[in-house]
mmCIF file of all heavy atoms in Angstrom:
data_model
loop_
_atom_site.group_PDB
_atom_site.id
_atom_site.type_symbol
_atom_site.label_atom_id
_atom_site.label_comp_id
_atom_site.label_asym_id
_atom_site.label_seq_id
_atom_site.Cartn_x
_atom_site.Cartn_y
_atom_site.Cartn_z
ATOM 1 N N GLY M 1277 94.118 106.973 61.440
ATOM 2 C CA GLY M 1277 95.475 106.712 61.748
ATOM 3 C C GLY M 1277 95.787 105.220 61.753
ATOM 4 O O GLY M 1277 96.854 104.809 61.285
ATOM 5 N N VAL M 1278 94.876 104.433 62.309
ATOM 6 C CA VAL M 1278 95.107 102.984 62.382
ATOM 7 C C VAL M 1278 95.171 102.388 60.979
ATOM 8 O O VAL M 1278 96.048 101.565 60.676
ATOM 9 C CB VAL M 1278 94.000 102.301 63.221
ATOM 10 C CG1 VAL M 1278 94.095 100.797 63.140
ATOM 11 C CG2 VAL M 1278 94.070 102.767 64.656
ATOM 12 N N VAL M 1279 94.267 102.815 60.126
ATOM 13 C CA VAL M 1279 94.240 102.290 58.756
ATOM 14 C C VAL M 1279 95.507 102.691 58.008
ATOM 15 O O VAL M 1279 96.094 101.878 57.281
ATOM 16 C CB VAL M 1279 92.974 102.790 58.011
ATOM 17 C CG1 VAL M 1279 93.006 102.404 56.550
ATOM 18 C CG2 VAL M 1279 91.724 102.245 58.682
ATOM 19 N N LEU M 1280 95.957 103.921 58.186
ATOM 20 C CA LEU M 1280 97.164 104.391 57.516
ATOM 21 C C LEU M 1280 98.401 103.610 57.970
ATOM 22 O O LEU M 1280 99.196 103.150 57.142
ATOM 23 C CB LEU M 1280 97.350 105.888 57.785
ATOM 24 C CG LEU M 1280 98.522 106.554 57.079
ATOM 25 C CD1 LEU M 1280 98.307 106.534 55.578
ATOM 26 C CD2 LEU M 1280 98.687 107.968 57.573
ATOM 27 N N VAL M 1281 98.563 103.434 59.277
ATOM 28 C CA VAL M 1281 99.713 102.694 59.788
ATOM 29 C C VAL M 1281 99.648 101.227 59.373
ATOM 30 O O VAL M 1281 100.658 100.641 58.957
ATOM 31 C CB VAL M 1281 99.807 102.836 61.324
ATOM 32 C CG1 VAL M 1281 100.854 101.904 61.892
ATOM 33 C CG2 VAL M 1281 100.102 104.274 61.697
ATOM 34 N N ALA M 1282 98.471 100.617 59.475
ATOM 35 C CA ALA M 1282 98.339 99.214 59.082
ATOM 36 C C ALA M 1282 98.622 99.046 57.591
ATOM 37 O O ALA M 1282 99.324 98.111 57.184
ATOM 38 C CB ALA M 1282 96.939 98.715 59.414
ATOM 39 N N GLY M 1283 98.113 99.934 56.783
ATOM 40 C CA GLY M 1283 98.376 99.865 55.343
ATOM 41 C C GLY M 1283 99.842 100.056 55.013
ATOM 42 O O GLY M 1283 100.394 99.359 54.150
ATOM 43 N N ALA M 1284 100.504 100.965 55.705
ATOM 44 C CA ALA M 1284 101.928 101.199 55.472
ATOM 45 C C ALA M 1284 102.748 99.970 55.859
ATOM 46 O O ALA M 1284 103.687 99.589 55.150
ATOM 47 C CB ALA M 1284 102.392 102.411 56.262
ATOM 48 N N ARG M 1285 102.409 99.349 56.980
ATOM 49 C CA ARG M 1285 103.161 98.158 57.396
ATOM 50 C C ARG M 1285 102.939 97.004 56.422
ATOM 51 O O ARG M 1285 103.860 96.220 56.161
ATOM 52 C CB ARG M 1285 102.770 97.765 58.818
ATOM 53 C CG ARG M 1285 103.265 98.788 59.846
ATOM 54 C CD ARG M 1285 103.001 98.344 61.258
ATOM 55 N NE ARG M 1285 103.789 97.197 61.628
ATOM 56 C CZ ARG M 1285 105.029 97.258 62.117
ATOM 57 N NH1 ARG M 1285 105.599 98.419 62.288
ATOM 58 N NH2 ARG M 1285 105.680 96.154 62.438
ATOM 59 N N LEU M 1286 101.742 96.885 55.879
ATOM 60 C CA LEU M 1286 101.487 95.856 54.867
ATOM 61 C C LEU M 1286 102.257 96.156 53.584
ATOM 62 O O LEU M 1286 102.883 95.271 52.995
ATOM 63 C CB LEU M 1286 99.991 95.760 54.564
ATOM 64 C CG LEU M 1286 99.142 95.039 55.593
ATOM 65 C CD1 LEU M 1286 97.669 95.190 55.255
ATOM 66 C CD2 LEU M 1286 99.522 93.580 55.664
ATOM 67 N N TYR M 1287 102.226 97.395 53.154
ATOM 68 C CA TYR M 1287 102.888 97.792 51.915
ATOM 69 C C TYR M 1287 104.399 97.582 52.001
ATOM 70 O O TYR M 1287 105.029 97.122 51.052
ATOM 71 C CB TYR M 1287 102.573 99.258 51.608
ATOM 72 C CG TYR M 1287 103.257 99.780 50.375
ATOM 73 C CD1 TYR M 1287 102.800 99.409 49.109
ATOM 74 C CD2 TYR M 1287 104.356 100.615 50.469
ATOM 75 C CE1 TYR M 1287 103.428 99.875 47.965
ATOM 76 C CE2 TYR M 1287 104.998 101.082 49.334
ATOM 77 C CZ TYR M 1287 104.538 100.712 48.086
ATOM 78 O OH TYR M 1287 105.166 101.169 46.953
ATOM 79 N N LEU M 1288 104.976 97.914 53.146
ATOM 80 C CA LEU M 1288 106.417 97.782 53.308
ATOM 81 C C LEU M 1288 106.848 96.351 53.640
ATOM 82 O O LEU M 1288 108.050 96.061 53.655
ATOM 83 C CB LEU M 1288 106.906 98.729 54.407
ATOM 84 C CG LEU M 1288 106.760 100.215 54.084
ATOM 85 C CD1 LEU M 1288 107.112 101.056 55.290
ATOM 86 C CD2 LEU M 1288 107.630 100.584 52.886
ATOM 87 N N GLY M 1289 105.910 95.468 53.900
ATOM 88 C CA GLY M 1289 106.226 94.073 54.139
ATOM 89 C C GLY M 1289 106.645 93.759 55.558
ATOM 90 O O GLY M 1289 107.261 92.726 55.814
ATOM 91 N N PHE M 1290 106.346 94.644 56.497
ATOM 92 C CA PHE M 1290 106.699 94.379 57.892
ATOM 93 C C PHE M 1290 105.797 93.326 58.521
ATOM 94 O O PHE M 1290 106.197 92.648 59.462
ATOM 95 C CB PHE M 1290 106.637 95.656 58.725
ATOM 96 C CG PHE M 1290 107.724 96.644 58.413
ATOM 97 C CD1 PHE M 1290 107.460 97.995 58.408
ATOM 98 C CD2 PHE M 1290 109.008 96.231 58.131
ATOM 99 C CE1 PHE M 1290 108.449 98.914 58.134
ATOM 100 C CE2 PHE M 1290 110.009 97.143 57.847
ATOM 101 C CZ PHE M 1290 109.725 98.481 57.846
ATOM 102 N N ASN M 1291 104.564 93.218 58.054
ATOM 103 C CA ASN M 1291 103.607 92.271 58.619
ATOM 104 C C ASN M 1291 102.845 91.580 57.502
ATOM 105 O O ASN M 1291 102.685 92.101 56.403
ATOM 106 C CB ASN M 1291 102.575 92.983 59.498
ATOM 107 C CG ASN M 1291 103.176 93.559 60.753
ATOM 108 O OD1 ASN M 1291 103.462 94.746 60.789
ATOM 109 N ND2 ASN M 1291 103.371 92.736 61.761
ATOM 110 N N LEU M 1292 102.326 90.395 57.833
ATOM 111 C CA LEU M 1292 101.385 89.715 56.953
ATOM 112 C C LEU M 1292 99.994 90.302 57.189
ATOM 113 O O LEU M 1292 99.738 90.945 58.220
ATOM 114 C CB LEU M 1292 101.367 88.219 57.254
ATOM 115 C CG LEU M 1292 102.687 87.461 57.063
ATOM 116 C CD1 LEU M 1292 102.537 86.033 57.548
ATOM 117 C CD2 LEU M 1292 103.113 87.511 55.611
ATOM 118 N N ALA M 1293 99.102 90.059 56.251
ATOM 119 C CA ALA M 1293 97.740 90.589 56.378
ATOM 120 C C ALA M 1293 97.050 90.030 57.625
ATOM 121 O O ALA M 1293 96.366 90.762 58.345
ATOM 122 C CB ALA M 1293 96.935 90.264 55.129
ATOM 123 N N SER M 1294 97.244 88.739 57.903
ATOM 124 C CA SER M 1294 96.585 88.143 59.070
ATOM 125 C C SER M 1294 97.125 88.722 60.376
ATOM 126 O O SER M 1294 96.374 88.918 61.331
ATOM 127 C CB SER M 1294 96.761 86.624 59.064
ATOM 128 O OG SER M 1294 98.141 86.289 59.114
ATOM 129 N N GLU M 1295 98.429 89.021 60.424
ATOM 130 C CA GLU M 1295 99.000 89.647 61.617
ATOM 131 C C GLU M 1295 98.438 91.043 61.825
ATOM 132 O O GLU M 1295 98.142 91.451 62.952
ATOM 133 C CB GLU M 1295 100.525 89.729 61.488
ATOM 134 C CG GLU M 1295 101.227 88.398 61.501
ATOM 135 C CD GLU M 1295 102.706 88.530 61.189
ATOM 136 O OE1 GLU M 1295 103.108 89.527 60.555
ATOM 137 O OE2 GLU M 1295 103.464 87.633 61.589
ATOM 138 N N THR M 1296 98.304 91.779 60.735
ATOM 139 C CA THR M 1296 97.790 93.146 60.826
ATOM 140 C C THR M 1296 96.341 93.160 61.281
ATOM 141 O O THR M 1296 95.967 93.932 62.168
ATOM 142 C CB THR M 1296 97.929 93.860 59.463
ATOM 143 O OG1 THR M 1296 99.301 93.820 59.071
ATOM 144 C CG2 THR M 1296 97.468 95.288 59.535
ATOM 145 N N VAL M 1297 95.544 92.297 60.704
ATOM 146 C CA VAL M 1297 94.128 92.218 61.100
ATOM 147 C C VAL M 1297 94.012 91.787 62.557
ATOM 148 O O VAL M 1297 93.211 92.349 63.323
ATOM 149 C CB VAL M 1297 93.357 91.256 60.169
ATOM 150 C CG1 VAL M 1297 91.963 90.966 60.711
ATOM 151 C CG2 VAL M 1297 93.276 91.834 58.773
ATOM 152 N N GLY M 1298 94.813 90.825 62.965
ATOM 153 C CA GLY M 1298 94.792 90.381 64.363
ATOM 154 C C GLY M 1298 95.188 91.485 65.319
ATOM 155 O O GLY M 1298 94.578 91.658 66.379
ATOM 156 N N ALA M 1299 96.215 92.251 64.963
ATOM 157 C CA ALA M 1299 96.653 93.343 65.827
ATOM 158 C C ALA M 1299 95.590 94.430 65.939
ATOM 159 O O ALA M 1299 95.344 94.972 67.021
ATOM 160 C CB ALA M 1299 97.954 93.932 65.303
ATOM 161 N N VAL M 1300 94.948 94.753 64.830
ATOM 162 C CA VAL M 1300 93.899 95.778 64.855
ATOM 163 C C VAL M 1300 92.708 95.288 65.686
ATOM 164 O O VAL M 1300 92.165 96.048 66.504
ATOM 165 C CB VAL M 1300 93.473 96.154 63.424
ATOM 166 C CG1 VAL M 1300 92.215 97.003 63.427
ATOM 167 C CG2 VAL M 1300 94.607 96.881 62.708
ATOM 168 N N LEU M 1301 92.322 94.034 65.519
ATOM 169 C CA LEU M 1301 91.206 93.504 66.296
ATOM 170 C C LEU M 1301 91.533 93.442 67.781
ATOM 171 O O LEU M 1301 90.665 93.716 68.621
ATOM 172 C CB LEU M 1301 90.806 92.122 65.781
ATOM 173 C CG LEU M 1301 90.129 92.097 64.416
ATOM 174 C CD1 LEU M 1301 89.860 90.661 63.983
ATOM 175 C CD2 LEU M 1301 88.849 92.901 64.423
ATOM 176 N N LEU M 1302 92.764 93.102 68.121
ATOM 177 C CA LEU M 1302 93.169 93.097 69.518
ATOM 178 C C LEU M 1302 93.114 94.510 70.103
ATOM 179 O O LEU M 1302 92.656 94.714 71.232
ATOM 180 C CB LEU M 1302 94.574 92.519 69.655
ATOM 181 C CG LEU M 1302 95.115 92.368 71.066
ATOM 182 C CD1 LEU M 1302 94.246 91.400 71.868
ATOM 183 C CD2 LEU M 1302 96.553 91.892 71.020
ATOM 184 N N GLY M 1303 93.559 95.483 69.344
ATOM 185 C CA GLY M 1303 93.478 96.874 69.793
ATOM 186 C C GLY M 1303 92.045 97.334 69.983
ATOM 187 O O GLY M 1303 91.728 98.039 70.948
ATOM 188 N N VAL M 1304 91.166 96.938 69.086
ATOM 189 C CA VAL M 1304 89.746 97.288 69.203
ATOM 190 C C VAL M 1304 89.139 96.634 70.441
ATOM 191 O O VAL M 1304 88.369 97.265 71.178
ATOM 192 C CB VAL M 1304 88.981 96.885 67.928
ATOM 193 C CG1 VAL M 1304 87.476 96.946 68.132
ATOM 194 C CG2 VAL M 1304 89.397 97.773 66.764
ATOM 195 N N ALA M 1305 89.504 95.379 70.694
ATOM 196 C CA ALA M 1305 88.969 94.676 71.868
ATOM 197 C C ALA M 1305 89.421 95.351 73.157
ATOM 198 O O ALA M 1305 88.612 95.560 74.070
ATOM 199 C CB ALA M 1305 89.402 93.214 71.848
ATOM 200 N N TRP M 1306 90.712 95.702 73.268
ATOM 201 C CA TRP M 1306 91.206 96.372 74.465
ATOM 202 C C TRP M 1306 90.555 97.743 74.643
ATOM 203 O O TRP M 1306 90.233 98.153 75.758
ATOM 204 C CB TRP M 1306 92.726 96.515 74.435
ATOM 205 C CG TRP M 1306 93.414 95.324 75.014
ATOM 206 C CD1 TRP M 1306 94.194 94.448 74.345
ATOM 207 C CD2 TRP M 1306 93.361 94.872 76.368
ATOM 208 N NE1 TRP M 1306 94.636 93.475 75.211
ATOM 209 C CE2 TRP M 1306 94.154 93.710 76.458
ATOM 210 C CE3 TRP M 1306 92.724 95.326 77.508
ATOM 211 C CZ2 TRP M 1306 94.323 93.011 77.642
ATOM 212 C CZ3 TRP M 1306 92.904 94.622 78.700
ATOM 213 C CH2 TRP M 1306 93.684 93.494 78.754
ATOM 214 N N THR M 1307 90.362 98.446 73.533
ATOM 215 C CA THR M 1307 89.700 99.750 73.610
ATOM 216 C C THR M 1307 88.278 99.590 74.137
ATOM 217 O O THR M 1307 87.830 100.371 74.987
ATOM 218 C CB THR M 1307 89.687 100.424 72.233
ATOM 219 O OG1 THR M 1307 91.041 100.561 71.783
ATOM 220 C CG2 THR M 1307 89.034 101.781 72.286
ATOM 221 N N ALA M 1308 87.573 98.565 73.674
ATOM 222 C CA ALA M 1308 86.208 98.320 74.150
ATOM 223 C C ALA M 1308 86.201 97.980 75.638
ATOM 224 O O ALA M 1308 85.337 98.457 76.384
ATOM 225 C CB ALA M 1308 85.571 97.193 73.341
ATOM 226 N N VAL M 1309 87.154 97.169 76.094
ATOM 227 C CA VAL M 1309 87.227 96.807 77.514
ATOM 228 C C VAL M 1309 87.419 98.063 78.365
ATOM 229 O O VAL M 1309 86.723 98.259 79.370
ATOM 230 C CB VAL M 1309 88.370 95.798 77.763
ATOM 231 C CG1 VAL M 1309 88.699 95.688 79.244
ATOM 232 C CG2 VAL M 1309 88.002 94.445 77.204
ATOM 233 N N PHE M 1310 88.348 98.922 77.965
ATOM 234 C CA PHE M 1310 88.608 100.111 78.768
ATOM 235 C C PHE M 1310 87.477 101.136 78.668
ATOM 236 O O PHE M 1310 87.211 101.862 79.635
ATOM 237 C CB PHE M 1310 89.946 100.741 78.381
ATOM 238 C CG PHE M 1310 91.110 99.959 78.913
ATOM 239 C CD1 PHE M 1310 91.978 99.317 78.058
ATOM 240 C CD2 PHE M 1310 91.316 99.828 80.278
ATOM 241 C CE1 PHE M 1310 93.044 98.575 78.545
ATOM 242 C CE2 PHE M 1310 92.374 99.095 80.781
ATOM 243 C CZ PHE M 1310 93.241 98.470 79.904
ATOM 244 N N MET M 1311 86.783 101.203 77.542
ATOM 245 C CA MET M 1311 85.635 102.114 77.436
ATOM 246 C C MET M 1311 84.504 101.655 78.353
ATOM 247 O O MET M 1311 83.862 102.487 79.009
ATOM 248 C CB MET M 1311 85.159 102.200 75.986
ATOM 249 C CG MET M 1311 86.109 102.976 75.094
ATOM 250 S SD MET M 1311 85.634 102.962 73.368
ATOM 251 C CE MET M 1311 84.137 103.916 73.428
ATOM 252 N N VAL M 1312 84.260 100.360 78.424
ATOM 253 C CA VAL M 1312 83.222 99.839 79.321
ATOM 254 C C VAL M 1312 83.623 100.068 80.776
ATOM 255 O O VAL M 1312 82.801 100.474 81.602
ATOM 256 C CB VAL M 1312 82.965 98.342 79.041
ATOM 257 C CG1 VAL M 1312 82.106 97.715 80.128
ATOM 258 C CG2 VAL M 1312 82.306 98.183 77.682
ATOM 259 N N ALA M 1313 84.888 99.845 81.094
ATOM 260 C CA ALA M 1313 85.352 100.083 82.467
ATOM 261 C C ALA M 1313 85.208 101.552 82.842
ATOM 262 O O ALA M 1313 84.799 101.884 83.957
ATOM 263 C CB ALA M 1313 86.810 99.641 82.605
ATOM 264 N N TRP M 1314 85.542 102.455 81.930
ATOM 265 C CA TRP M 1314 85.424 103.890 82.201
ATOM 266 C C TRP M 1314 83.964 104.293 82.376
ATOM 267 O O TRP M 1314 83.623 105.079 83.256
ATOM 268 C CB TRP M 1314 86.068 104.671 81.068
ATOM 269 C CG TRP M 1314 86.064 106.142 81.288
ATOM 270 C CD1 TRP M 1314 85.127 107.026 80.843
ATOM 271 C CD2 TRP M 1314 87.021 106.909 82.025
ATOM 272 N NE1 TRP M 1314 85.455 108.282 81.247
ATOM 273 C CE2 TRP M 1314 86.602 108.246 81.966
ATOM 274 C CE3 TRP M 1314 88.176 106.580 82.702
ATOM 275 C CZ2 TRP M 1314 87.322 109.248 82.593
ATOM 276 C CZ3 TRP M 1314 88.886 107.594 83.309
ATOM 277 C CH2 TRP M 1314 88.453 108.907 83.252
ATOM 278 N N ALA M 1315 83.094 103.735 81.556
ATOM 279 C CA ALA M 1315 81.676 104.097 81.604
ATOM 280 C C ALA M 1315 80.988 103.576 82.861
ATOM 281 O O ALA M 1315 80.014 104.164 83.329
ATOM 282 C CB ALA M 1315 80.961 103.579 80.367
ATOM 283 N N THR M 1316 81.482 102.481 83.428
ATOM 284 C CA THR M 1316 80.818 101.874 84.577
ATOM 285 C C THR M 1316 81.587 102.074 85.876
ATOM 286 O O THR M 1316 81.231 101.479 86.891
ATOM 287 C CB THR M 1316 80.614 100.371 84.343
ATOM 288 O OG1 THR M 1316 81.884 99.759 84.132
ATOM 289 C CG2 THR M 1316 79.712 100.119 83.156
ATOM 290 N N ARG M 1317 82.611 102.908 85.894
ATOM 291 C CA ARG M 1317 83.433 103.067 87.095
ATOM 292 C C ARG M 1317 82.646 103.671 88.252
ATOM 293 O O ARG M 1317 82.867 103.303 89.396
ATOM 294 C CB ARG M 1317 84.664 103.924 86.800
ATOM 295 C CG ARG M 1317 84.359 105.379 86.586
ATOM 296 C CD ARG M 1317 85.548 106.158 86.070
ATOM 297 N NE ARG M 1317 85.263 107.555 85.971
ATOM 298 C CZ ARG M 1317 84.534 108.125 85.037
ATOM 299 N NH1 ARG M 1317 83.992 107.387 84.097
ATOM 300 N NH2 ARG M 1317 84.330 109.422 85.035
ATOM 301 N N ASP M 1318 81.724 104.571 87.990
ATOM 302 C CA ASP M 1318 80.946 105.180 89.068
ATOM 303 C C ASP M 1318 80.037 104.158 89.735
ATOM 304 O O ASP M 1318 79.816 104.209 90.939
ATOM 305 C CB ASP M 1318 80.117 106.345 88.542
ATOM 306 C CG ASP M 1318 80.986 107.524 88.151
ATOM 307 O OD1 ASP M 1318 82.118 107.631 88.671
ATOM 308 O OD2 ASP M 1318 80.547 108.329 87.311
ATOM 309 N N ARG M 1319 79.508 103.245 88.964
ATOM 310 C CA ARG M 1319 78.637 102.221 89.524
ATOM 311 C C ARG M 1319 79.421 101.293 90.445
ATOM 312 O O ARG M 1319 78.899 100.773 91.422
ATOM 313 C CB ARG M 1319 78.001 101.414 88.395
ATOM 314 C CG ARG M 1319 76.843 100.590 88.844
ATOM 315 C CD ARG M 1319 76.162 99.850 87.722
ATOM 316 N NE ARG M 1319 76.261 100.523 86.447
ATOM 317 C CZ ARG M 1319 76.084 99.911 85.292
ATOM 318 N NH1 ARG M 1319 75.800 98.633 85.253
ATOM 319 N NH2 ARG M 1319 76.177 100.579 84.168
ATOM 320 N N ALA M 1320 80.702 101.095 90.150
ATOM 321 C CA ALA M 1320 81.518 100.179 90.948
ATOM 322 C C ALA M 1320 81.928 100.773 92.289
ATOM 323 O O ALA M 1320 82.000 100.071 93.284
ATOM 324 C CB ALA M 1320 82.754 99.777 90.161
ATOM 325 N N VAL M 1321 82.218 102.084 92.345
ATOM 326 C CA VAL M 1321 82.735 102.658 93.590
ATOM 327 C C VAL M 1321 82.015 103.911 94.048
ATOM 328 O O VAL M 1321 82.062 104.232 95.227
ATOM 329 C CB VAL M 1321 84.242 102.996 93.462
ATOM 330 C CG1 VAL M 1321 85.066 101.752 93.323
ATOM 331 C CG2 VAL M 1321 84.492 103.949 92.333
ATOM 332 N N GLY M 1322 81.356 104.628 93.169
ATOM 333 C CA GLY M 1322 80.863 105.947 93.515
ATOM 334 C C GLY M 1322 79.492 106.028 94.146
ATOM 335 O O GLY M 1322 79.179 106.997 94.821
ATOM 336 N N ASP M 1323 78.632 105.035 93.978
ATOM 337 C CA ASP M 1323 77.255 105.160 94.428
ATOM 338 C C ASP M 1323 77.029 104.710 95.872
ATOM 339 O O ASP M 1323 76.037 105.064 96.483
ATOM 340 C CB ASP M 1323 76.325 104.359 93.516
ATOM 341 C CG ASP M 1323 76.217 104.994 92.135
ATOM 342 O OD1 ASP M 1323 76.537 106.188 92.016
ATOM 343 O OD2 ASP M 1323 75.814 104.296 91.197
ATOM 344 N N ALA M 1324 77.921 103.927 96.413
ATOM 345 C CA ALA M 1324 77.714 103.423 97.774
ATOM 346 C C ALA M 1324 78.020 104.523 98.789
ATOM 347 O O ALA M 1324 79.027 105.208 98.686
ATOM 348 C CB ALA M 1324 78.616 102.225 98.029
ATOM 349 N N PRO M 1325 77.125 104.722 99.771
ATOM 350 C CA PRO M 1325 77.407 105.725 100.797
ATOM 351 C C PRO M 1325 78.572 105.278 101.664
ATOM 352 O O PRO M 1325 78.779 104.083 101.862
ATOM 353 C CB PRO M 1325 76.114 105.799 101.610
ATOM 354 C CG PRO M 1325 75.453 104.493 101.376
ATOM 355 C CD PRO M 1325 75.857 104.049 99.993
ATOM 356 N N PRO M 1326 79.327 106.217 102.202
ATOM 357 C CA PRO M 1326 80.447 105.823 103.059
ATOM 358 C C PRO M 1326 79.949 105.155 104.334
ATOM 359 O O PRO M 1326 78.902 105.501 104.873
ATOM 360 C CB PRO M 1326 81.153 107.145 103.360
ATOM 361 C CG PRO M 1326 80.162 108.208 103.054
ATOM 362 C CD PRO M 1326 79.211 107.650 102.034
ATOM 363 N N VAL M 1327 80.686 104.204 104.808
ATOM 364 C CA VAL M 1327 80.328 103.464 106.018
ATOM 365 C C VAL M 1327 80.990 104.152 107.202
ATOM 366 O O VAL M 1327 82.192 104.393 107.204
ATOM 367 C CB VAL M 1327 80.790 101.995 105.918
ATOM 368 C CG1 VAL M 1327 80.479 101.248 107.187
ATOM 369 C CG2 VAL M 1327 80.149 101.334 104.721
ATOM 370 N N ALA M 1328 80.166 104.473 108.232
ATOM 371 C CA ALA M 1328 80.700 105.128 109.427
ATOM 372 C C ALA M 1328 81.423 104.100 110.284
ATOM 373 O O ALA M 1328 80.993 102.949 110.392
ATOM 374 C CB ALA M 1328 79.561 105.760 110.218
ATOM 375 N N PRO M 1329 82.531 104.493 110.897
ATOM 376 C CA PRO M 1329 83.233 103.542 111.768
ATOM 377 C C PRO M 1329 82.419 103.223 113.008
ATOM 378 O O PRO M 1329 81.668 104.051 113.510
ATOM 379 C CB PRO M 1329 84.523 104.278 112.125
ATOM 380 C CG PRO M 1329 84.244 105.712 111.878
ATOM 381 C CD PRO M 1329 83.187 105.776 110.809
ATOM 382 N N VAL M 1330 82.558 102.005 113.489
ATOM 383 C CA VAL M 1330 81.842 101.570 114.688
ATOM 384 C C VAL M 1330 82.625 102.050 115.903
ATOM 385 O O VAL M 1330 83.811 101.771 116.024
ATOM 386 C CB VAL M 1330 81.721 100.031 114.714
ATOM 387 C CG1 VAL M 1330 81.040 99.555 115.977
ATOM 388 C CG2 VAL M 1330 80.972 99.546 113.473
ATOM 389 N N PRO M 1331 81.967 102.793 116.818
ATOM 390 C CA PRO M 1331 82.695 103.247 118.006
ATOM 391 C C PRO M 1331 83.027 102.060 118.915
ATOM 392 O O PRO M 1331 82.225 101.152 119.103
ATOM 393 C CB PRO M 1331 81.722 104.198 118.681
ATOM 394 C CG PRO M 1331 80.386 103.866 118.140
ATOM 395 C CD PRO M 1331 80.600 103.270 116.782
ATOM 396 N N VAL M 1332 84.221 102.081 119.434
ATOM 397 C CA VAL M 1332 84.683 100.994 120.310
ATOM 398 C C VAL M 1332 84.988 101.596 121.660
ATOM 399 O O VAL M 1332 85.744 102.568 121.776
ATOM 400 C CB VAL M 1332 85.927 100.308 119.722
ATOM 401 C CG1 VAL M 1332 86.424 99.220 120.656
ATOM 402 C CG2 VAL M 1332 85.617 99.750 118.356
ATOM 403 N N SER M 1333 84.379 101.026 122.695
ATOM 404 C CA SER M 1333 84.647 101.484 124.055
ATOM 405 C C SER M 1333 85.923 100.836 124.570
ATOM 406 O O SER M 1333 86.222 99.688 124.215
ATOM 407 C CB SER M 1333 83.481 101.111 124.978
ATOM 408 O OG SER M 1333 82.301 101.713 124.523
ATOM 409 N N PRO M 1334 86.671 101.526 125.433
ATOM 410 C CA PRO M 1334 87.867 100.906 125.995
ATOM 411 C C PRO M 1334 87.530 99.658 126.788
ATOM 412 O O PRO M 1334 86.550 99.627 127.542
ATOM 413 C CB PRO M 1334 88.434 101.984 126.913
ATOM 414 C CG PRO M 1334 87.751 103.248 126.542
ATOM 415 C CD PRO M 1334 86.468 102.892 125.878
ATOM 416 N N GLY M 1335 88.281 98.602 126.597
ATOM 417 C CA GLY M 1335 88.065 97.372 127.338
ATOM 418 C C GLY M 1335 87.061 96.427 126.685
ATOM 419 O O GLY M 1335 86.866 95.333 127.158
ATOM 420 N N VAL M 1336 86.381 96.891 125.633
ATOM 421 C CA VAL M 1336 85.396 96.034 124.950
ATOM 422 C C VAL M 1336 86.024 95.606 123.620
ATOM 423 O O VAL M 1336 86.473 96.440 122.845
ATOM 424 C CB VAL M 1336 84.079 96.812 124.682
ATOM 425 C CG1 VAL M 1336 83.099 95.942 123.930
ATOM 426 C CG2 VAL M 1336 83.489 97.306 125.997
ATOM 427 N N PRO M 1337 86.040 94.297 123.336
ATOM 428 C CA PRO M 1337 86.634 93.854 122.071
ATOM 429 C C PRO M 1337 85.817 94.340 120.877
ATOM 430 O O PRO M 1337 84.604 94.445 120.944
ATOM 431 C CB PRO M 1337 86.621 92.324 122.172
ATOM 432 C CG PRO M 1337 85.748 91.991 123.313
ATOM 433 C CD PRO M 1337 85.582 93.204 124.161
ATOM 434 N N ALA M 1338 86.520 94.679 119.822
ATOM 435 C CA ALA M 1338 85.862 95.150 118.589
ATOM 436 C C ALA M 1338 85.119 94.004 117.942
ATOM 437 O O ALA M 1338 85.542 92.855 118.026
ATOM 438 C CB ALA M 1338 86.897 95.723 117.642
ATOM 439 N N PRO M 1339 83.975 94.296 117.286
ATOM 440 C CA PRO M 1339 83.202 93.210 116.643
ATOM 441 C C PRO M 1339 83.914 92.644 115.451
ATOM 442 O O PRO M 1339 84.698 93.159 114.820
ATOM 443 C CB PRO M 1339 81.925 93.905 116.215
ATOM 444 C CG PRO M 1339 82.145 95.354 116.278
ATOM 445 C CD PRO M 1339 83.343 95.563 117.154
#
């Protein structure tokens, strides 16, 4: 799909070749960023055990 749309925009004269290549490379870079974020999301938030709240007695300041 990307090749077809990029080729059509070049053929119709909507973009220069350098603009088209830059746009495709930018799209590839963003896709790579989000794929890495999706693949590593569990490591960022999912593996840590939940922290239990510290009990606070009345009249004693919280730590």
Side-chain angles (χ1 to χ4, degrees):
V1278 171
V1279 173
L1280 184 65
V1281 171
R1285 291 186 68 86
L1286 283 172
Y1287 178 75
L1288 294 173
F1290 290 142
N1291 292 99
L1292 299 174
S1294 61
E1295 293 173 337
T1296 303
V1297 170
V1300 169
L1301 290 177
L1302 183 62
V1304 167
W1306 272 114
T1307 302
V1309 165
F1310 285 114
M1311 288 175 67
V1312 169
W1314 183 266
T1316 59
R1317 72 190 184 284
D1318 290 337
R1319 195 177 331 160
V1321 293
D1323 290 340
V1327 177
V1330 177
V1332 178
S1333 300
V1336 178

